[in-house]
Amino acid sequence: MNTRRARWYRYVRHFSLPAFLAAVVVAVLVMTTTGPLDSGARAARATTHSDAEPQLARVSLSSNIRYGTASPNQSLTVCSPAASADSAAGNRPAVLEIHGGGWAHGDKSGAGWTDVCRWLATQGYVAFSLNYRLVPAARFPAQLDDVTAALRWIRTPKNAKRFAVDPHRLGVFGGSAGGNLAALLGMRGTGDLHSGTRVAAVVDLSGPIDLTAAGQRRGRPGAYLQRLELAYLHCRTFARCAQSKAASPLYAVDPSDPPVFIGGSENELVPSAQGKAFASALRAARVPHTLDLVPGHRHSIKAFDRRMRAKVAAFLNRWLG
């Protein structure tokens, strides 16, 4: 018996303990060397699933519904909240969700954007997550035309009734290129925010706000972002690009515009100077707005963590609830 104990002691001391310590070291290295998220998917999962699992299970999805006939890209997914008294009466507010991807990539079905769509539904909104035509097959203003067409489609009496939506309470949420399109949609036009192609609230995460030559001096966007913008605008240079101003929400701000939530990071792909300039223009026009920039490099929905999510929920509830 004593011999067996001695052998066991030697096994634990010379094999098990070193193996255990090695496993701990490997685990620590994995945790401390994992780089930034390479897509919005894991960030959105971590921030949208953590405290809403019961509600998420009750969200219903209707996929690949056509809102236009000009292109196969003109489709959307609808994330609907659980049935309620409001849904029976057709009184639920809605949010149009616009994915990012440099106007040339991305899809509404990407895991990160699906998760945001589902999260919006847990907050009581009918979320319409759309695809739109992409560069190089389509250039500005085709993308904005698609977003506008989707908004009109939602507002038609037939579709508002189908999805139990209050057509007078529509907002828009976009990130990166989708943030640019969301802000353009919000700043476009004047007057009443509850009909036609107007929206009652805008959430813009990391959207390029000034695509003009002057905008290239707002935080000095890198060469990669400049290439994306020029391809979107179908221009060789910013200096000779007549449509750059029309593609820049900054120059369309007026006092009748809807409240705007501007989110992003201090040091990311789209310079924070763009969001700050947008906030200054909104302030000058006395348009209600929130500027929320977090430290670090997280772009678009990667920055949409639990804290920002709570702020966006409060913002939407104030202006659409």
Side-chain angles (χ1 to χ4, degrees), residues 240-252:
R240 297 184 178 183
C241 190
Q243 59 267 41
S244 64
K245 189 172 182 180
S248 302
L250 183 66
Y251 301 103

Side-chain angles (χ1 to χ4, degrees), residues 27-50:
V28 170
L29 286 173
V30 168
M31 288 187 290
T32 57
T33 59
T34 300
L37 295 174
D38 55 7
S39 74
R42 283 177 289 169
R45 284 195 200 99
T47 60
T48 60
H49 286 196
S50 59

